[in-house]
């Protein structure tokens, strides 16, 4: 089971937007003690929903566009990974990057899975992104 924060991290949607999707019936989950929780199946159904997909694509594209138009003095990097994966491997990849993003400041992350393909977009301070990618390739 995953909470709303986890889903927010992998989709880039705000808490409020996700709650709107719940209200519309596009996102299924269970509310326990005032907090929303989602199974892997709930998340897969949500991110593959044709009514949600255009918003996810827009969020991903915005990450890339924002990176390209940034003007600051800090070295930053953006990595796009496309990986062939079954659902179990996709979940492991998602869990890895979500856990890492919990400890990374000033960074953005996007995850999608469709038809056996994982796409991960990771944007942040150059050294931090490099360390995460090194750890990913060594796992």
């Amino acid at each position: 089971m995953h909470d709303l924060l986890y889903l927010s991290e992998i989709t880039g949607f705000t808490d409020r937007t996700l709650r709107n999707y719940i209200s519309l019936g596009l996102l299924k989950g269970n509310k326990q003690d005032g907090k929303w929780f989602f199974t892997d199946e709930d998340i897969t159904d949500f991110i593959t929903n044709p009514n949600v997909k255009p918003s996810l694509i827009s969020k991903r594209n915005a990450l890339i566009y924002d990176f390209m138009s940034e003007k600051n003095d800090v070295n930053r990097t953006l990595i796009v990974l496309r990986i062939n994966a079954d659902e179990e491997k996709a979940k492991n990849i998602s869990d890895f990057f979500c856990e890492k993003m919990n400890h990374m400041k000033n960074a953005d992350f996007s995850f999608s899975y469709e038809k056996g393909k994982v796409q991960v977009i990771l944007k942040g301070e150059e050294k931090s992104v490099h360390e995460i990618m090194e750890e990913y390739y060594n796992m």
Side-chain angles (χ1 to χ4, degrees):
M1 295 288 271
H2 303 282
D3 63 8
L4 209 56
L5 177 61
Y6 175 89
L7 192 54
S8 180
E9 286 176 351
I10 67 169
T11 62
F13 292 143
T14 64
D15 211 302
R16 178 86 156 149
T17 299
L18 291 170
R19 289 177 190 278
N20 286 338
Y21 279 123
I22 292 168
S23 295
L24 292 169
L26 296 172
L27 174 58
K28 307 283 188 230
N30 295 308
K31 195 170 189 179
Q32 299 169 0
D33 298 324
K35 293 178 82 176
W36 281 98
F37 293 94
F38 310 94
T39 65
D40 292 334
E41 185 177 296
D42 293 333
I43 293 170
T44 299
D45 290 346
F46 176 66
I47 64 176
T48 59
N49 185 310
N51 296 308
V52 175
K53 201 168 182 181
S55 296
L56 286 170
I57 291 169
S58 176
K59 279 289 194 188
R60 271 197 319 258
N61 291 346
L63 264 179
I64 295 168
Y65 177 80
D66 290 348
F67 176 80
M68 298 302 289
S69 62
E70 283 179 357
K71 295 188 184 351
N72 61 41
D73 296 332
V74 178
N75 290 346
R76 294 177 53 80
T77 191
L78 177 123
I79 293 178
V80 178
L81 298 171
R82 289 199 175 153
I83 304 163
N84 294 324
D86 59 20
E87 285 187 28
E88 183 178 338
K89 184 176 180 181
K91 181 189 177 321
N92 291 339
I93 293 168
S94 172
D95 289 347
F96 172 83
F97 283 103
C98 283
E99 195 274 320
K100 294 300 167 192
M101 292 307 290
N102 282 333
H103 306 291
M104 193 171 165
K105 293 181 180 177
N106 299 320
D108 293 302
F109 162 71
S110 171
F111 175 88
S112 64
Y113 176 71
E114 183 179 0
K115 298 179 184 171
K117 302 270 187 210
V118 168
Q119 181 170 290
V120 174
I121 300 173
L122 181 61
K123 176 178 91 166
E125 192 270 326
E126 183 180 25
K127 184 179 178 196
S128 297
V129 170
H130 175 77
E131 288 171 1
I132 289 171
M133 293 309 302
E134 197 170 78
E135 195 172 330
Y136 171 75
Y137 284 118
N138 288 323
M139 64 177 215

